[in-house]
Amino acid sequence: MQLAHPHYLWLFMVYVPLIAWYIWKRRNAHPALEISTVSPFAGLPRSIKEYGLHGLFVLRLLTIGCLIIILARPQTHDNWRTSNTQGTDIVLSLDISSSMLARDFKPDRLGAAKEVATQFVSGRESDNIGLVIFAGESFTAVPMTLDRPTLTNYIASIETGMIEDGTAIGDGLATAINRIKDGKAKSKSIILLTDGSNNTGVVAPLTAAEIAAKYGIKVYTIGIGKNGMAPYPTQDIFGKISYVNQPVVIDEGTLKQIASVTGGKYFRATGNNVLKEIFQEIDQLEKTSMDVRHFSHTEDNYTLWAALALGLFSLEIILRRTWLRTIP
């Protein structure tokens, strides 16, 4: 704490005449009731109220002292402080093709991915994070941002059918690269999650991987889907959706190459818990230490002193009117 006007503390010198006046007044006070002698009362002990009357004067002095401090304007002052934190640039590139509704995850692959992605985003407060979604085409859903509520709300709203169906892994990766390549963080990474093989799009997956490597961007690829068979959604001519067991086909070779070329890592998620563990591992891998400078500005901080002055003055009035009341 600092004082904006410390010279006002000289006002405490007013205590000297006030105390002198109080002593003089007590010594020269005239009795309200005169009696011939006080000798019968000479042996009686002094009452605590007699000392309490002096306490009223002390309370008045303390109230004045608080007012003087308020006039001096106590403040919390401007300062810079440096703290070490973890921060990086990350883009989530999420496959939302119709096959992501397969129910080998609970409630389905897309629902599981959204839940884990939300937890991942919420736990990385110092990072710039963006979101790209892709199916038969791709686009940036949320630009790089520190606004966690906006990001998590959008993730919650993602559904299949938002864009043309298909699996354009290369386009999904290329869009993520365009979004992250100009970021200011030293560490840049893309988390690409898909459940299929590239079957459409303009950019080949490995071409996109080479571009990412050129910009020093790591790509962590996640193939989501159980081994063997899984219940996939199918729609009949009447629009009714049913689930039919079909083979799980993930182009793990391409996903591994993408990760290898960019210095990232490939993961296979075969269940909800495994998917959570994968994101936890990526969370630990992508930590970059940086020094962050924080600035705090000056604010008047006299509320406590004002409350104390009011409390002391109120206490004096209450005591003077009740327990320490004198006549006249």
Side-chain angles (χ1 to χ4, degrees):
M1 187 184 74
Q2 66 180 16
L3 300 176
H5 305 299
H7 53 276
Y8 277 107
L9 296 181
W10 284 103
L11 290 175
F12 277 105
M13 294 298 296
V14 75
Y15 276 11
V16 176
L18 287 176
I19 294 172
W21 171 80
Y22 180 78
I23 294 173
W24 178 86
K25 180 182 176 183
R26 295 290 299 179
R27 288 181 176 178
N28 294 279
H30 297 286
L33 178 66
E34 294 185 0
I35 58 177
S36 59
T37 179
V38 293
S39 57
F41 306 101
L44 294 177
R46 289 175 176 254
S47 170
I48 190 172
K49 289 187 177 182
E50 183 178 349
Y51 298 103
L53 290 173
H54 299 299
L56 295 176
F57 179 67
V58 173
L59 289 175
R60 181 67 59 88
L61 291 180
L62 292 175
T63 302
I64 293 172
C66 290
L67 293 176
I68 292 172
I69 293 176
I70 292 172
L71 288 174
R73 288 184 61 191
Q75 299 176 329
T76 54
H77 59 85
D78 296 353
N79 72 302
W80 286 95
R81 62 184 179 87
T82 301
S83 63
N84 186 268
T85 187
Q86 309 292 329
T88 185
D89 286 346
I90 299 175
V91 171
L92 298 176
S93 187
L94 180 63
D95 186 349
I96 63 166
S97 58
S98 59
S99 60
M100 288 289 288
L101 294 177
R103 291 187 173 176
D104 50 349
F105 284 68
K106 295 181 180 180
D108 50 45
R109 293 174 181 175
L110 182 59
K114 287 165 57 176
E115 179 184 354
V116 175
T118 299
Q119 294 173 355
F120 177 80
V121 166
S122 300
R124 298 189 67 98
E125 298 179 355
S126 302
D127 300 324
N128 273 313
I129 301 179
L131 176 66
V132 169
I133 57 177
F134 69 93
E137 53 188 353
S138 66
F139 73 91
T140 301
V142 181
M144 305 291 291
T145 182
L146 291 169
D147 187 350
R148 294 295 173 268
T150 296
L151 196 55
T152 55
N153 287 339
Y154 192 93
I155 291 173
S157 70
I158 293 175
E159 297 178 355
T160 59
M162 295 175 69
I163 50 180
E164 181 183 349
D165 202 12
T167 307
I169 295 175
D171 287 8
L173 180 54
T175 302
I177 293 169
N178 284 332
R179 183 52 59 186
I180 199 175
K181 64 184 178 66
D182 296 323
K184 296 181 179 179
K186 292 181 179 180
S187 176
K188 301 180 181 67
S189 58
I190 295 170
I191 302 173
L192 187 145
L193 187 148
T194 183
D195 69 341
S197 304
N198 191 76
N199 56 27
T200 187
V202 178
V203 183
L206 292 180
T207 300
E210 291 171 357
I211 295 172
K214 177 181 176 181
Y215 285 105
I217 302 168
K218 292 181 182 179
V219 181
Y220 296 96
T221 54
I222 302 174
I224 182 170
K226 287 186 175 180
N227 295 312
M229 308 289 284
Y232 284 85
T234 60
Q235 189 173 6
D236 60 23
I237 58 175
F238 300 105
K240 183 179 179 180
I241 296 177
S242 59
Y243 287 84
V244 178
N245 278 331
Q246 298 179 16
V248 175
V249 180
I250 300 175
D251 189 356
E252 290 191 282
T254 298
L255 296 179
K256 288 179 180 178
Q257 280 186 281
I258 292 171
S260 177
V261 168
T262 61
K265 190 174 181 179
Y266 170 71
F267 302 90
R268 177 67 184 268
T270 55
N272 291 65
N273 291 334
V274 177
L275 184 60
K276 290 180 181 179
E277 291 171 1
I278 289 170
F279 269 86
Q280 289 172 357
E281 182 174 345
I282 295 174
D283 182 55
Q284 294 302 314
L285 289 171
E286 283 303 313
K287 295 286 190 183
T288 300
S289 180
M290 62 176 66
D291 290 330
V292 178
R293 298 193 74 199
H294 303 273
F295 176 73
S296 61
H297 62 281
T298 299
E299 288 186 357
D300 287 339
N301 188 22
Y302 55 82
T303 306
L304 175 63
W305 297 103
L308 187 59
L310 179 61
L312 291 170
F313 183 71
S314 299
L315 179 60
E316 180 197 349
I317 296 299
I318 292 171
L319 292 176
R320 192 180 295 277
R321 299 289 182 179
T322 56
W323 185 55
L324 296 176
R325 185 177 182 181
T326 58
I327 300 174

